[in-house]
């Protein structure tokens, strides 16, 4: 059964990755193109001030980057998330299936998809929203990446701890209140973590030559649109991944023996 779950997760991730790439190609790529165009204009404006002209040569053309590069990256990420999702579901269902044999594994998968999105995407996005190209200092790339990764790992660890806490309290105070306590504990944990991590506000302002503006600042609308489309893309990816995985679980359930209440409990 573990192999079936893993196969379902990989297939769900593959489909979700393809859907997310198509969405990103249509909606996010124009914002990236606008950011790159601004970067070129800013480089020209800075050269007027400094008298130095930067000459950069792309290793890969924009056509390769926005099609092959973005497509492969999105699909590989989604497949990896699908595989990890399947592993997490296997562990979770092994526990829930034994304790509550009448539980529906599809509901468990939906709940897992929701909490995974919050922990892996939602909280890190809220604290460190993504920026298009040309936003951010080169000297802080390492610090920004480290802070984002730290927050993601801590958020995931706190979510796992919150789920464990909720299960342990369920028998004492009931499912509703145990869920409330677990959610509150998670929110307190990520809030403290976020407050301890550094802030980064690096959207470029106008290029100045003394008191004269020779180049405009980064367009705020491009940043706003990029972030909206980016989170929408992740919502779409995780929704498709979860829905496809749930649908495959339904197929497994229909193929299981009539005597089995739902799915075979892993490890039973």
């Amino acid at each position: 059964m573990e192999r079936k779950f893993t196969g379902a997760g990989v297939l769900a991730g593959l489909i979700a990755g393809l859907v997310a790439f198509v969405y990103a190609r249509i909606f996010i790529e124009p914002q990236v193109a606008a950011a790159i165009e601004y970067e070129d204009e800013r480089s020209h404006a800075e050269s007027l001030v400094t008298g130095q002209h930067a000459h950069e040569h792309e290793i890969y053309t924009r056509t390769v980057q926005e099609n092959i590069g973005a497509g492969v990256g999105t699909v590989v990420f989604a497949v990896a998330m699908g595989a990890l999702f399947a592993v997490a579901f296997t562990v979770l269902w092994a526990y829930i299936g034994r304790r509550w044999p009448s539980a529906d594994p599809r509901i468990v998968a939906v709940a897992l998809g929701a909490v995974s999105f919050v922990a892996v995407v939602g909280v890190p996005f809220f604290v460190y929203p993504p920026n298009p190209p040309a936003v951010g200092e080169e000297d802080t790339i390492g610090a920004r990446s480290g802070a984002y990764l730290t927050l993601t790992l801590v958020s995931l660890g706190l979510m796992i701890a919150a789920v464990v806490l909720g299960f342990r309290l369920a028998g004492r105070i009931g499912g509703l209140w145990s869920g409330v306590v677990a959610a509150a504990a998670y929110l307190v944990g990520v809030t403290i973590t976020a407050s301890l991590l550094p802030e980064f506000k690096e959207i470029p302002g106008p290029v100045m030559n003394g008191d004269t503006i020779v180049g405009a600042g980064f367009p705020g609308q491009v940043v706003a649109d990029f972030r909206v489309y980016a989170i929408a893309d992740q919502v779409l990816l995780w929704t498709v991944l979860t829905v496809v995985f749930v649908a495959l679980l339904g197929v497994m359930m229909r193929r299981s023996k009539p005597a089995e209440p739902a799915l075979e409990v892993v490890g039973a």
Side-chain angles (χ1 to χ4, degrees):
M1 189 59 69
E2 294 95 330
R3 292 182 180 179
K4 292 183 178 179
F5 289 159
T6 302
V10 170
L11 178 57
L14 176 61
I15 296 174
L18 293 173
V19 173
F21 166 66
V22 172
Y23 177 91
R25 185 65 181 82
I26 296 173
F27 295 100
I28 298 180
E29 189 55 37
Q31 311 308 317
V32 174
I36 293 175
E37 181 180 356
Y38 167 81
E39 189 174 23
D40 293 337
E41 294 175 355
R42 185 178 183 87
S43 296
H44 176 68
E46 290 176 343
S47 68
L48 296 177
V49 177
T50 62
Q52 299 178 351
H53 297 269
H55 298 282
E56 297 183 0
H57 299 281
E58 293 182 338
I59 299 177
Y60 300 103
T61 64
R62 280 293 301 146
T63 301
V64 173
Q65 293 175 15
E66 66 188 10
N67 292 300
I68 299 176
V72 172
T74 302
V75 171
V76 169
F77 170 79
V79 169
M81 290 299 100
L84 293 174
F85 183 88
V87 172
F89 175 81
T90 301
V91 174
L92 188 60
W93 179 244
Y95 174 81
I96 294 178
R98 289 193 186 97
R99 189 166 183 179
W100 297 284
S102 61
D104 190 332
R106 293 169 296 186
I107 296 178
V108 175
V110 170
L112 177 62
V115 298
S116 298
F117 174 81
V118 171
V120 177
V121 178
V123 167
F125 181 94
F126 180 80
V127 178
Y128 294 118
N131 291 317
V135 175
E137 301 291 339
E138 293 185 0
D139 295 339
T140 63
I141 291 178
R144 283 184 280 129
S145 300
Y148 184 89
L149 180 60
T150 298
L151 179 61
T152 301
L153 293 176
V154 171
S155 174
L156 184 59
L158 289 173
M159 182 62 77
I160 294 173
V163 171
V164 173
L165 176 64
F167 280 134
R168 291 190 174 182
L169 294 178
R172 301 178 182 178
I173 60 178
L176 176 61
W177 286 110
S178 64
V180 171
V181 172
Y186 170 77
L187 290 175
V188 170
V190 294
T191 300
I192 293 175
T193 302
S195 67
L196 296 176
L197 292 173
E199 295 184 9
F200 300 97
K201 297 180 180 179
E202 301 179 343
I203 297 179
V207 179
M208 305 295 296
N209 185 8
D211 295 330
T212 305
I213 298 177
V214 297
F218 195 92
Q221 190 61 49
V222 174
V223 176
D225 290 344
F226 180 85
R227 290 175 176 176
V228 169
Y229 290 134
I231 190 62
D233 190 51
Q234 286 297 310
V235 170
L236 181 63
L237 188 153
W238 283 90
T239 299
V240 173
L241 191 157
T242 303
V243 169
V244 173
F245 189 83
V246 168
L248 294 174
L249 285 181
V251 174
M252 295 181 201
M253 293 172 65
R254 288 193 296 270
R255 291 180 178 178
S256 63
K257 297 180 181 179
E260 296 178 351
L263 287 177
E264 175 188 352
V265 177
V266 178

